[in-house]
Amino acid sequence: MGIWGISARRRTWLGLCNISWRPSRQPFKQIGRRTFSDSYTGKSDDSVLPVLIIGAGPVGLVLSILLTKLGVKCAILEKNKAFSTHPQAHFINNRSMEVFRKLDGLGDEILRSQPPVEFWRKFIYCTSLTGPILGAVDHMQPQDFDQIVSPVSVAHFSQYKLSRLLLKHLEKLGFHMINSEKNEHGSIGERKIFMGHECIAINGAEHGVTVTASFLSEGKYITRDIQCHFLVGTDGAGSSVRKSLGINMRGEKDLQKLVSVHFLSKALGQYLIKERPGMLFFIFNKDAIGVLVAHDLKQGEFVLQVPFYPPQQKLEDFSSEMCKRLIFKLVGLELADVNVMDIKPWVMHAEVAEKFLSCNNRIILAGDAAHRFPPAGGFGMNTGIQDAHNLAWKLASVIEGVSPISILNSYELERSQIAQFNTALSVQNFKAAMKVPAALGLDPTVANADIMWFSPAVHRALNDTVGSILPSALQRTILDGIFSIGCAQLSDFVLNENNPLGSARLTRLRQIFEEGQSLQLQFPAEDLGFRYRKGVLVSEDDVVVDVHEAPTGRRRDYIPCSEPGSRLPHMNVELFSKPSSKEILSTLDLVSIDKVEFILIIAPFKESYCLARAALEVANKFKLHLKVCVMWPNGSIDGAGRTEAALTPWKSFEEVVEVKRSSDSPSWWDICQMTDRGAILVRPDEHVAWRSKSRIADPIMTMKNIFHIVTGVDCT
């Protein structure tokens, strides 16, 4: 029986929260929910997988690495039989690179493998790739390379190449890729990636989830049931997991429809390296308009994004030959070596799922399954990677039996607020991108103005009025006529300094670039400075926690801060016990990637040691992992043995010394905007859980309360 004929039998493993879904036109069904207990009761039965991940994109692969390193057994189902080589996402921001940096050198491997920064630091605006340049914006600033606020730089690296590196790292962790045709019919085991397995039914219960997967075996589609304690949907913007749960997306739909043309041309790459290297090329001329993404100039790998207007246009219209002709118009000459690899339609949305959790927190959404952004600013994949980083330690804590399952509520609380903010920011950045064509006379917001080439509003107006009742051929003729009128504004006759109208438009364009009003690539204040306002953290009474600064779409620099919910600031340090080794670490390296461990950062003072002893005593009593990190000031040469004596009998501590760039560089506590009499408790995801700025009267009771809040453990 073919895949569409498979019946998804309704099951109720432990009889609760039954959700059944199958790929058909029937509505999704949800039945039989009730209140669940807060405790996690994991089975020792090896046939029940602790975590099953649906979707082997970058988010699912990163989550599987993080969970495995934390000792959590997991496996991945991927509906496709092979990984896509369509480049897709390509910008990796600072925070994601910090996560990759700690995954056995993955960050360094990305930096070595990416194109040279000089090849991609600019956005180029031009009339053709061989024609006049209208403007160029350099998105890299000197501070982006000095590693003062972060131990690693941003990267430009295509998604499919990133997936290959992630798979290589999973192989080192013992993962195996299983092809559906060669699949054994036994139980799903850990550390496996099952290709060609499509999730067709999900049934949730109090203590776990049953997933029904369909796969091709010996020419026939068959099904198998997989039992897991937790199911994580990382299956992309069209998530079947999200749809099966009946979870709606909220925001702006259908901002724009586009066709993505993946092609190769080494001749074009070499020309651009020599004449005008850049990451994005915005091309405007009377014959064609498009955005070219240079994924790798040296390899000559590109993706062309062009607007798509169904039903007047059909995907079949974008044949390889038609796409080549379009490429030649945008380049300004014909190239002999253009090889069109792939042509895909896609729709731009700005939406966030109404919830990230379902079925007593047993089913979880992450990445594009939970939020869909415009590509402006590269927030999509990066936000998803940070979803995985936030989720992994909480899942591990629950599965280890340390935290109650209710701690997963904080995943939705924390990540949804970031997703909402990043949605607004990406929309603002998308609107900034629109200022350039508007300056060129392609602005649909002005009455009687010329038609913007990619205006969805124009397209909707055509579909909603007389165009909807006209023959398709006539509709297409009308659409082509509208484009011709708009593109006439880009002719050499209009767009030149001798034409008063063209001169005014070019002046406005230069102003947009000079004032930083165009599309931006980097957002350091948001990439590194995003802060959880509510969640598993202890808020401070003197800090306003419910107001985000409204996104502007402009670049703002990151200012380090140690307020609860913030990422721990970066500073270079070296081990106090091994000053001769000269090994430089980041404060972010103090947080373990291999276990769910909190760290308490203090200075070497009597009161701080007292707090540290209390914290270690409480953590030990309630089976929590805690390491005390003693931060010695730059230039410390004595004090050996002081910490060991002060913390006896506890051995879980580490001593580090500040490494300053110069004598007038700020100290660690200055960077944190605190005095050295304070203390900072850091979560396993490197975000600050709590801090104290002054002496604590009752350290034991204080730490009991703190650990109860940040782990959910009953510390009474």
Side-chain angles (χ1 to χ4, degrees):
M1 182 179 291
I3 189 168
W4 301 110
I6 295 170
S7 64
R9 299 183 303 276
R10 293 181 181 175
R11 299 170 181 81
T12 52
W13 185 32
L14 301 185
L16 300 167
C17 193
N18 184 309
I19 298 176
S20 183
W21 174 77
R22 58 182 172 183
S24 71
R25 294 185 179 180
Q26 298 177 0
F28 302 134
K29 297 179 180 180
Q30 297 188 180
I31 54 179
R33 296 195 183 203
R34 71 170 173 80
T35 305
F36 298 99
S37 64
D38 190 47
S39 61
Y40 168 73
T41 55
K43 297 182 179 180
S44 59
D45 185 355
D46 290 339
S47 67
V48 182
L49 197 64
V51 179
L52 179 65
I53 300 167
I54 306 291
V59 177
L61 297 177
V62 168
L63 179 60
S64 63
I65 293 174
L66 292 171
L67 288 173
T68 301
K69 293 184 77 66
L70 290 171
V72 176
K73 297 178 181 180
C74 62
I76 306 173
L77 296 188
E78 170 55 49
K79 69 178 181 179
N80 295 307
K81 295 180 180 180
F83 285 90
S84 172
T85 56
H86 201 92
Q88 296 175 284
H90 56 96
F91 179 67
I92 308 176
N93 70 17
N94 260 133
R95 188 62 186 129
S96 294
M97 286 297 291
E98 289 178 348
V99 175
F100 292 155
R101 176 180 168 273
K102 294 179 70 173
L103 298 181
D104 301 318
L106 176 60
D108 290 338
E109 197 168 358
I110 291 170
L111 292 175
R112 287 195 304 269
S113 304
Q114 71 168 349
V117 175
E118 293 305 314
F119 289 3
W120 55 266
R121 61 188 297 160
K122 293 181 180 180
F123 290 176
I124 309 292
Y125 298 80
C126 54
T127 59
S128 75
L129 294 180
T130 55
I133 292 178
L134 301 171
V137 180
D138 188 344
H139 291 281
M140 302 300 290
Q141 298 182 5
Q143 63 264 35
D144 297 328
F145 303 102
D146 58 21
Q147 298 187 356
I148 290 178
V149 298
S150 176
V152 66
S153 301
V154 300
H156 172 48
F157 197 59
S158 299
Q159 180 173 317
Y160 79 92
K161 295 179 181 178
L162 173 62
S163 293
R164 288 175 182 173
L165 290 185
L166 292 170
L167 287 168
K168 188 168 72 172
H169 279 256
L170 282 168
E171 288 175 7
K172 292 178 181 178
L173 292 173
F175 273 74
H176 301 281
M177 197 177 304
I178 308 297
N179 187 294
S180 62
E181 290 283 2
K182 300 178 181 179
N183 186 29
E184 299 176 0
H185 301 317
S187 62
I188 292 265
E190 63 168 312
R191 303 197 186 196
K192 290 184 174 65
I193 304 172
F194 291 87
M195 304 300 293
H197 279 61
E198 182 172 11
C199 169
I200 62 169
I202 300 173
N203 293 281
E206 183 173 7
H207 298 307
V209 180
T210 299
V211 172
T212 302
S214 168
F215 61 97
L216 188 66
S217 179
E218 298 178 352
K220 295 181 180 180
Y221 282 102
I222 62 176
T223 62
R224 76 186 313 164
D225 288 345
I226 306 158
Q227 294 183 341
C228 59
H229 294 308
F230 294 95
L231 172 66
V232 184
T234 61
D235 50 341
S239 171
S240 62
V241 175
R242 185 187 69 241
K243 291 175 181 177
S244 74
L245 299 171
I247 296 176
N248 295 320
M249 302 293 285
R250 301 192 182 279
E252 298 182 62
K253 289 181 181 291
D254 298 342
L255 288 174
Q256 192 172 344
K257 293 182 175 68
L258 300 106
V259 168
S260 177
V261 183
H262 176 206
F263 71 94
L264 303 177
S265 173
K266 285 196 173 182
L268 179 58
Q270 290 303 311
Y271 167 79
L272 293 174
I273 288 173
K274 181 180 178 181
E275 299 294 335
R276 52 181 73 174
M279 176 192 284
L280 298 184
F281 296 83
F282 299 83
I283 309 163
F284 304 91
N285 64 55
K286 64 181 181 60
D287 296 317
I289 300 176
V291 179
L292 186 71
V293 184
H295 280 264
D296 193 321
L297 290 178
K298 189 173 182 179
Q299 294 180 0
E301 184 169 29
F302 302 90
V303 170
L304 174 63
Q305 305 286 4
V306 293
F308 180 40
Y309 297 99
Q312 290 79 22
Q313 292 178 326
K314 296 179 173 57
L315 185 59
E316 301 81 59
D317 295 338
F318 292 86
S319 65
S320 292
E321 286 305 313
M322 180 273 193
C323 290
K324 282 185 180 180
R325 292 195 298 270
L326 182 58
I327 291 166
F328 296 157
K329 291 176 181 178
L330 294 169
V331 172
L333 54 83
E334 294 191 9
L335 298 164
D337 70 338
V338 170
N339 183 10
V340 175
M341 306 296 292
D342 196 13
I343 302 167
K344 286 186 175 182
W346 64 283
V347 183
M348 186 188 300
H349 305 284
E351 298 178 301
V352 178
E354 60 186 4
K355 59 180 181 177
F356 291 10
L357 302 168
S358 185
C359 285
N360 190 34
N361 299 350
R362 296 288 175 174
I363 305 176
I364 306 163
L365 300 179
D368 286 355
H371 38 70
R372 308 188 292 199
F373 309 136
F379 290 101
M381 182 179 70
N382 289 298
T383 304
I385 288 165
Q386 289 142 40
D387 288 345
H389 197 221
N390 180 286
L391 177 61
W393 75 270
K394 295 173 184 177
L395 270 176
S397 186
V398 173
I399 290 169
E400 287 176 4
V402 174
S403 295
I405 200 169
S406 59
I407 196 176
L408 295 177
N409 292 330
S410 69
Y411 165 72
E412 177 176 294
L413 184 61
E414 293 176 352
R415 294 308 301 167
S416 64
Q417 60 185 279
I418 300 303
Q420 294 285 354
F421 185 86
N422 286 352
T423 300
L425 183 54
S426 61
V427 170
Q428 287 290 336
N429 201 27
F430 175 67
K431 290 179 179 178
M434 299 300 99
K435 291 184 177 181
V436 171
L440 295 174
L442 306 174
D443 190 351
T445 63
V446 180
N448 300 317
D450 304 299
I451 303 299
M452 181 186 265
W453 65 281
F454 38 43
S455 170
V458 173
H459 185 226
R460 283 193 294 269
L462 175 62
N463 287 335
D464 295 342
T465 56
V466 294
S468 61
I469 61 174
L470 295 176
S472 58
L474 185 54
Q475 290 185 49
R476 177 61 182 266
T477 300
I478 293 173
L479 189 66
D480 290 343
I482 291 172
F483 292 158
S484 296
I485 294 171
C487 289
Q489 303 306 304
L490 303 172
S491 68
D492 294 339
F493 174 75
V494 175
L495 203 60
N496 69 81
E497 295 289 358
N498 295 323
N499 184 313
L501 178 59
S503 178
R505 288 175 176 175
L506 292 172
T507 298
R508 171 58 183 148
L509 195 61
R510 287 191 291 269
Q511 181 183 12
I512 290 171
F513 295 142
E514 290 168 0
E515 295 179 359
Q517 297 181 38
S518 60
L519 179 71
Q520 297 298 301
L521 175 65
Q522 290 206 74
F523 293 87
E526 289 77 19
D527 293 344
L528 294 174
F530 71 86
R531 178 179 163 222
Y532 302 131
R533 307 292 171 143
K534 297 178 181 179
V536 283
L537 53 91
V538 183
S539 300
E540 297 177 337
D541 295 336
D542 59 342
V543 177
V544 177
V545 299
D546 58 348
V547 178
H548 275 293
E549 183 176 343
T552 64
R554 306 281 187 88
R555 171 174 172 146
R556 295 185 296 124
D557 287 331
Y558 162 70
I559 299 175
C561 136
S562 63
E563 293 175 0
S566 302
R567 157 199 169 272
L568 182 70
H570 156 72
M571 183 181 190
N572 285 333
V573 296
E574 59 185 0
L575 295 176
F576 184 81
S577 58
K578 301 177 181 179
S580 60
S581 70
K582 301 300 180 182
E583 180 184 3
I584 303 299
L585 306 174
S586 166
T587 45
L588 299 175
D589 296 327
L590 301 176
V591 183
S592 174
I593 194 76
D594 298 316
K595 57 183 173 180
V596 180
E597 180 180 66
F598 290 80
I599 66 168
L600 181 67
I601 303 176
I602 62 170
F605 294 112
K606 179 179 179 181
E607 297 84 356
S608 299
Y609 283 131
C610 180
L611 174 66
R613 282 198 306 273
L616 289 165
E617 180 180 333
V618 172
N620 180 69
K621 181 177 180 181
F622 297 102
K623 297 180 173 58
L624 304 173
H625 293 294
L626 173 69
K627 178 175 67 178
V628 172
C629 292
V630 181
M631 182 71 72
W632 289 82
N634 179 257
S636 298
I637 57 175
D638 56 8
R642 186 190 306 178
T643 297
E644 183 176 9
L647 295 183
T648 298
W650 310 109
K651 302 295 184 182
S652 182
F653 65 85
E654 190 167 46
E655 298 177 275
V656 295
V657 183
E658 299 173 342
V659 175
K660 288 189 174 185
R661 290 175 175 266
S662 63
S663 58
D664 58 351
S665 295
S667 71
W668 164 250
W669 299 104
D670 290 336
I671 291 172
C672 293
Q673 302 177 40
M674 297 173 60
T675 72
D676 57 6
R677 301 291 168 161
I680 302 172
L681 182 68
V682 187
R683 307 186 329 187
D685 62 355
E686 301 163 8
H687 281 256
V688 175
W690 165 80
R691 68 176 181 177
S692 170
K693 296 181 179 179
S694 58
R695 183 177 180 276
I696 294 173
D698 188 343
I700 291 287
M701 184 56 65
T702 296
M703 294 315 302
K704 283 184 177 182
N705 291 335
I706 298 303
F707 279 123
H708 171 66
I709 292 171
V710 301
T711 67
V713 174
D714 184 0
C715 296
T716 57

